[in-house]
Amino acid sequence: MSASTGHEIGIVHYPGAQVACILGLTDLFGVASTIALDQRRSGQSPLRVTHWQPLHSRDANLSCVYDSAPRGSPKPRTLIIPPTMAKLPDPDVPPDIPAGVVSWVRNRHAAGTTLVSLCSGAFILAETGLVDGQSVATHQGSAKALAKHFPKIVVDTNRRIIDHGDIITAGGFLSWVDIGLFLVDRILGPAIGAETARFVLDDPAAGEARYFTGFAPPQTHGDRGVLKAQAWVHMRDGRGVSLAAMAKAAGLQRRTLLRRFARATGMTPIEYCRAVRIARARELLEGGGISQKQIAQSLGYKDVASFARAFRKAVGSAPGAYRKRFGRKGISPADFAAKDGSRQKKRIFEAGLQTG
């Protein structure tokens, strides 16, 4: 990306879209732009954020209703579809999806725009037909309806972010925080990404954690090769990872990766992958609705017993006891953000509600 062109991120403000997500992402990208400007690094220009909204209910063309840096005609290179705050779709009732928004999103993709759906925003993405035959991440509360109404897609609630290159999907109520930092890291680089996370979350450890429960992987060490390997492991939740594959993702020889990885993170690659898998297991246990057998299979353990042994050794508690203590079943959205003691998630959530 050149400094003269920047990178425009559009956000679709469709009827019922979560306003806290739209405004929160706008602020997050604004912080990243300011940091990039302050550091004055060659090739790193601020992000331009635009909001797109249908002026009438059946409009086939959306209008730009907000532009953080007006200069010429807006044309988003990345387009985010936020979740809805309306009632979640019923598996037995077809969801009310604005046709004009769907056709506009499809046309933007045809013009080369990368699409990103968050949580229940996956319904609009699925309606485009662009993810038929592909895996899609969404919130657990939307999974059943999404799978039933769009049988050609593969719904996956076990992965935080699924990246197909030109289409990215993310699940979870606070997935907009995850995807915001993910995009900053991808567009402006890991250094700006880490600095943005520290600023937004007001806690260096939280910036490094990337929302892994109970695990704060070091990401401010500055070793770009190791950061690439870490990101590769994170995207796979530590599953089925080999040293050879990590080295390839990092662009390093295996022996070089071993030496630099240990120096940067204080862990071997194997120890790191185990920590990521356990952190993801904790998130799934806290979320509820997924059996221990499903969690064990999704994270690559050969059986429930193996998973339980590894979990108890790492956490000091059996998976069932952990779920009973920290599970989020039946609690409010605000408590959802605070249940595991994550002060950072709670602050972001509350700030979004106040802004919205």
Side-chain angles (χ1 to χ4, degrees), residues 158-160 212 232-239 241 273 276-278 280 283 298-299:
N158 294 328
R159 296 168 66 184
R160 177 187 294 100
F212 286 123
W232 190 84
V233 171
H234 295 177
M235 290 296 296
R236 288 155 182 79
D237 290 330
R239 303 171 299 184
V241 177
C273 291
V276 170
R277 283 206 294 175
I278 292 297
R280 183 58 174 145
E283 289 182 341
S298 70
L299 295 177

Side-chain angles (χ1 to χ4, degrees), residues 9-354:
I9 299 177
I11 305 176
V12 184
H13 194 163
Y14 62 91
Q18 185 186 24
V19 176
C21 167
I22 296 170
L23 298 179
L25 279 172
T26 302
D27 287 344
L28 188 153
F29 294 138
V31 167
S33 294
T34 300
I35 292 171
L37 275 176
D38 288 345
Q39 294 195 8
R40 297 179 182 177
R41 295 172 181 264
S42 174
Q44 292 180 330
S45 64
L47 300 172
R48 179 182 182 181
V49 182
T50 52
H51 298 174
W52 297 83
Q53 191 171 27
L55 299 184
H56 302 286
S57 60
R58 297 190 178 278
D59 273 358
N61 288 311
L62 275 63
S63 300
C64 180
V65 296
Y66 169 82
D67 193 337
S68 66
R71 51 179 187 273
S73 299
K75 187 178 180 181
R77 294 169 60 185
T78 300
L79 188 65
I80 298 175
I81 309 169
T84 180
M85 284 302 289
K87 183 179 179 181
L88 289 177
D90 187 324
D92 298 321
V93 180
D96 184 16
I97 300 173
V101 172
V102 171
S103 62
W104 186 81
V105 167
R106 187 189 296 114
N107 291 337
R108 293 307 319 153
H109 180 264
T113 299
T114 296
L115 302 182
V116 181
S117 75
L118 305 179
C119 192
S120 53
F123 283 89
I124 291 177
L125 178 62
E127 186 69 23
T128 67
L130 296 171
V131 286
D132 287 355
Q134 297 187 25
S135 297
V136 173
T138 191
H139 190 276
Q140 292 180 14
S142 303
K144 185 176 180 180
L146 186 63
K148 181 168 184 177
H149 293 300
F150 301 98
K152 292 182 179 180
I153 68 174
V154 180
V155 180
D156 188 346
T157 60
N158 294 328
R159 296 168 66 184
R160 177 187 294 100
I161 296 174
I162 299 178
D163 182 6
H164 293 296
D166 60 335
I167 295 178
I168 303 168
T169 59
F173 189 76
L174 290 173
S175 59
W176 64 267
V177 182
D178 284 329
I179 209 67
L181 296 176
F182 175 87
L183 290 174
V184 169
D185 187 283
R186 167 174 286 191
I187 298 167
L188 297 180
I192 300 297
E195 190 66 25
T196 301
R198 286 199 300 272
F199 182 92
V200 170
L201 302 174
D202 194 29
D203 186 333
E208 295 168 355
R210 289 294 182 86
Y211 298 102
F212 286 123
T213 300
F215 175 48
Q219 291 180 293
T220 58
H221 45 72
D223 189 321
R224 286 184 172 270
V226 173
L227 285 168
K228 289 179 181 179
Q230 288 178 270
W232 190 84
V233 171
H234 295 177
M235 290 296 296
R236 288 155 182 79
D237 290 330
R239 303 171 299 184
V241 177
S242 68
L243 179 60
M246 284 182 69
K248 183 177 180 180
L252 301 172
Q253 297 294 322
R254 281 185 286 185
R255 293 178 65 178
T256 302
L257 175 66
L258 278 171
R259 182 182 71 254
R260 285 169 53 174
F261 198 95
R263 184 173 61 199
T265 69
M267 289 176 275
T268 67
I270 292 176
E271 291 170 339
Y272 191 88
C273 291
R274 287 173 179 166
V276 170
R277 283 206 294 175
I278 292 297
R280 183 58 174 145
R282 290 172 67 166
E283 289 182 341
L284 293 172
L285 288 167
E286 290 170 15
I290 301 178
S291 70
Q292 290 187 39
K293 181 178 180 180
Q294 289 174 309
I295 294 174
Q297 290 175 340
S298 70
L299 295 177
Y301 293 96
K302 66 179 182 179
D303 51 39
V304 175
S306 298
F307 164 61
R309 284 195 299 271
F311 190 88
R312 182 186 289 275
K313 181 177 180 181
V315 180
S317 172
Y322 185 89
R323 168 173 277 167
K324 185 175 181 180
R325 180 178 180 186
F326 296 106
R328 298 185 177 111
K329 185 177 181 180
I331 67 175
S332 69
D335 288 339
F336 179 94
K339 181 72 175 179
D340 66 354
S342 174
R343 295 174 291 110
Q344 294 79 25
K345 284 185 180 180
K346 186 170 184 287
R347 281 201 297 269
I348 288 284
F349 175 80
E350 290 175 342
L353 289 184
Q354 292 166 4

